[in-house]
Amino acid sequence: MDQPGPMNTRPMVKGVRGTPEPGPNELLVDVKVCGVCRTDLHLAEGDLQPRRPAVIPGHEAVGTVVASGPGSSRFAPGDRVGVAWLGGVCGTCPYCRRGDENLCAAPVLTGWDKDGGYAEQLTVSQDFAYLIPEAFTDEQAAPLLCSGIIGYRSLKRANVPSGGRLGIYGFGSSAHLTAQMAMYQGASVYVMTRSEEARALARKLGAEYVGDAYDEPPVPLDSAILFAPVGELVPVALAALDHGGTLAIAGIHLSDIPPLNYNAHLFYERQVRSVTANTRADGREFLALAAQIPLAPSISVYPFDAADTALADLAADRVTGSAVLRVRPSGSTGQG
């Protein structure tokens, strides 16, 4: 990522760097594929301020271990691993000590604090790498590493009652995986999104109701998750909640929220919860659940040289489901 700006200014540039060296307790990974997440788009366009110059985005990377740094023994060469958003925590702040490492005061975030998966190789702490379930191909596994994990945490934060009605606002990469999880757990899903292609996917997956982003669902909702980074939808979703309902806001970035009316949006113990990153336990729990279901990601694959095109398509809502960069042809290896 060169200079942040709208995708038509081409903020992404191709470059060459030397092979990264794995440090203590780190792995060197040959990247096969990397998912294209909306967080990457927020970084490229400047909604999230870069934390280092010319950082390499990407935090849904799947690849194979090719080398290990000193003290690294959890994985062997040839193991297939996933590299996700949470790449490290301090372990000593009050949040880490109480088990809330997703709120760490000094986290290391892949593709923001350190170089990520839009590259032929990367390094990752062995403690923050995930073994990929055999049920998934590389391309299927990539969106699970952020879209899936964050969807799983959002579903927990939404506090959906058994057999409850879940509203989903926006139906992109994370939402279409979350809908499958919710239905597997017995919820009925109501999808509100502006994209006709996304609405068609929601119907195909078995949503109880599908409408436009601002439509009122036909029944009050027990819970809702806002995936679209649109603050104007917060009062819309709150107004759709039944008494005691919960709205979880899943994104790392959200446009401004309009004023709320207490009686219309918050009374009767409706509540709003944000979702911040994930814990490693979330990741392990989710990947086990994903393989059990098994989840069926809807993916569009882009060649490595088309990373900027993939992000531009995401910005223009031309991606239905998840976008994935194929960094290496299947079976290939080599130095970055």
Side-chain angles (χ1 to χ4, degrees), residues 9 14 27 73 76 82 84 113 158 162-163 166 184 202 207 209 224 228 237 272:
T9 68
K14 190 175 180 181
L27 309 171
S73 59
D113 294 309
S162 178
L166 172 68
Y184 179 79
Y209 166 83
V272 182

Short mmCIF file of all heavy atoms in Angstrom, two decimals, residues 9 14 27 73 76 82 84 113 158 162-163 166 184 202 207 209 224 228 237 272:
data_model
loop_
_atom_site.label_atom_id
_atom_site.label_comp_id
_atom_site.label_asym_id
_atom_site.label_seq_id
_atom_site.Cartn_x
_atom_site.Cartn_y
_atom_site.Cartn_z
N THR A 9 -7.22 5.98 -7.62
CA THR A 9 -5.89 6.60 -7.56
C THR A 9 -4.79 5.55 -7.48
O THR A 9 -3.61 5.90 -7.38
CB THR A 9 -5.77 7.54 -6.35
OG1 THR A 9 -5.79 6.78 -5.13
CG2 THR A 9 -6.90 8.57 -6.34
N LYS A 14 2.89 -2.76 -6.97
CA LYS A 14 3.64 -4.01 -6.90
C LYS A 14 5.11 -3.70 -6.67
O LYS A 14 5.67 -2.76 -7.23
CB LYS A 14 3.46 -4.81 -8.19
CG LYS A 14 4.02 -6.21 -8.12
CD LYS A 14 3.72 -6.99 -9.39
CE LYS A 14 4.27 -8.41 -9.31
NZ LYS A 14 4.00 -9.19 -10.54
N LEU A 27 7.34 -18.50 12.21
CA LEU A 27 7.35 -19.37 11.05
C LEU A 27 7.53 -18.55 9.79
O LEU A 27 7.03 -17.41 9.71
CB LEU A 27 6.01 -20.12 10.94
CG LEU A 27 5.49 -20.87 12.17
CD1 LEU A 27 4.07 -21.35 11.92
CD2 LEU A 27 6.41 -22.03 12.51
N SER A 73 8.47 -24.78 17.41
CA SER A 73 8.35 -26.23 17.29
C SER A 73 6.91 -26.70 17.11
O SER A 73 6.68 -27.90 16.99
CB SER A 73 8.95 -26.90 18.53
OG SER A 73 8.28 -26.47 19.71
N ALA A 76 5.62 -28.12 11.59
CA ALA A 76 6.74 -28.68 10.83
C ALA A 76 6.70 -28.17 9.40
O ALA A 76 5.64 -27.77 8.90
CB ALA A 76 6.66 -30.21 10.85
N GLY A 82 -2.90 -21.13 8.52
CA GLY A 82 -3.57 -19.89 8.22
C GLY A 82 -3.03 -18.77 9.06
O GLY A 82 -2.67 -18.96 10.23
N ALA A 84 -3.99 -14.95 10.35
CA ALA A 84 -5.18 -14.12 10.53
C ALA A 84 -4.81 -12.71 11.01
O ALA A 84 -3.63 -12.36 11.14
CB ALA A 84 -6.14 -14.80 11.50
N ASP A 113 0.09 -3.64 11.24
CA ASP A 113 1.33 -3.40 11.99
C ASP A 113 2.52 -4.11 11.36
O ASP A 113 3.66 -3.66 11.48
CB ASP A 113 1.18 -3.91 13.43
CG ASP A 113 0.16 -3.11 14.21
OD1 ASP A 113 0.25 -1.88 14.22
OD2 ASP A 113 -0.74 -3.73 14.81
N ALA A 158 -24.04 -11.04 19.35
CA ALA A 158 -25.43 -10.71 19.05
C ALA A 158 -26.41 -11.42 19.98
O ALA A 158 -27.59 -11.05 20.03
CB ALA A 158 -25.76 -11.05 17.61
N SER A 162 -32.03 -19.30 21.41
CA SER A 162 -32.25 -20.57 20.72
C SER A 162 -33.49 -20.47 19.82
O SER A 162 -34.57 -20.07 20.27
CB SER A 162 -32.45 -21.68 21.75
OG SER A 162 -32.72 -22.91 21.11
N GLY A 163 -33.31 -20.79 18.55
CA GLY A 163 -34.42 -20.70 17.60
C GLY A 163 -34.85 -19.29 17.27
O GLY A 163 -35.94 -19.07 16.73
N LEU A 166 -32.63 -13.71 13.53
CA LEU A 166 -31.42 -12.89 13.38
C LEU A 166 -31.51 -12.06 12.12
O LEU A 166 -31.69 -12.59 11.02
CB LEU A 166 -30.18 -13.79 13.32
CG LEU A 166 -28.87 -13.07 12.97
CD1 LEU A 166 -28.44 -12.12 14.09
CD2 LEU A 166 -27.76 -14.09 12.68
N TYR A 184 -27.34 -23.12 10.94
CA TYR A 184 -26.90 -24.41 11.46
C TYR A 184 -27.25 -24.53 12.95
O TYR A 184 -27.60 -25.62 13.43
CB TYR A 184 -25.40 -24.56 11.26
CG TYR A 184 -24.82 -25.84 11.78
CD1 TYR A 184 -24.94 -27.03 11.06
CD2 TYR A 184 -24.14 -25.87 13.00
CE1 TYR A 184 -24.40 -28.22 11.54
CE2 TYR A 184 -23.59 -27.05 13.48
CZ TYR A 184 -23.73 -28.22 12.75
OH TYR A 184 -23.19 -29.40 13.23
N ALA A 202 -28.27 -14.87 -0.62
CA ALA A 202 -28.96 -15.09 0.65
C ALA A 202 -30.15 -16.05 0.48
O ALA A 202 -30.38 -16.93 1.31
CB ALA A 202 -29.43 -13.76 1.23
N ALA A 207 -32.12 -18.07 3.53
CA ALA A 207 -32.63 -17.00 4.39
C ALA A 207 -34.16 -17.01 4.42
O ALA A 207 -34.82 -17.24 3.41
CB ALA A 207 -32.12 -15.65 3.91
N TYR A 209 -36.05 -14.41 4.99
CA TYR A 209 -36.55 -13.18 4.34
C TYR A 209 -35.35 -12.45 3.76
O TYR A 209 -34.26 -12.43 4.36
CB TYR A 209 -37.26 -12.29 5.36
CG TYR A 209 -37.51 -10.88 4.88
CD1 TYR A 209 -38.62 -10.58 4.09
CD2 TYR A 209 -36.63 -9.85 5.21
CE1 TYR A 209 -38.85 -9.28 3.64
CE2 TYR A 209 -36.85 -8.55 4.77
CZ TYR A 209 -37.96 -8.27 3.98
OH TYR A 209 -38.17 -6.99 3.53
N ALA A 224 -29.54 -8.74 15.80
CA ALA A 224 -29.12 -8.27 14.48
C ALA A 224 -27.62 -8.07 14.49
O ALA A 224 -27.01 -7.81 15.53
CB ALA A 224 -29.83 -6.98 14.11
N ALA A 228 -22.43 -4.05 7.13
CA ALA A 228 -22.16 -2.91 6.25
C ALA A 228 -21.56 -1.77 7.07
O ALA A 228 -22.04 -1.48 8.17
CB ALA A 228 -23.46 -2.46 5.58
N ALA A 237 -31.55 -0.76 12.17
CA ALA A 237 -31.48 -2.09 12.78
C ALA A 237 -32.05 -2.09 14.19
O ALA A 237 -32.74 -3.04 14.59
CB ALA A 237 -30.03 -2.57 12.79
N VAL A 272 -26.77 -2.15 22.11
CA VAL A 272 -25.82 -2.12 21.00
C VAL A 272 -24.47 -2.60 21.52
O VAL A 272 -24.02 -2.18 22.59
CB VAL A 272 -25.65 -0.69 20.44
CG1 VAL A 272 -24.69 -0.69 19.26
CG2 VAL A 272 -26.98 -0.10 20.04
#
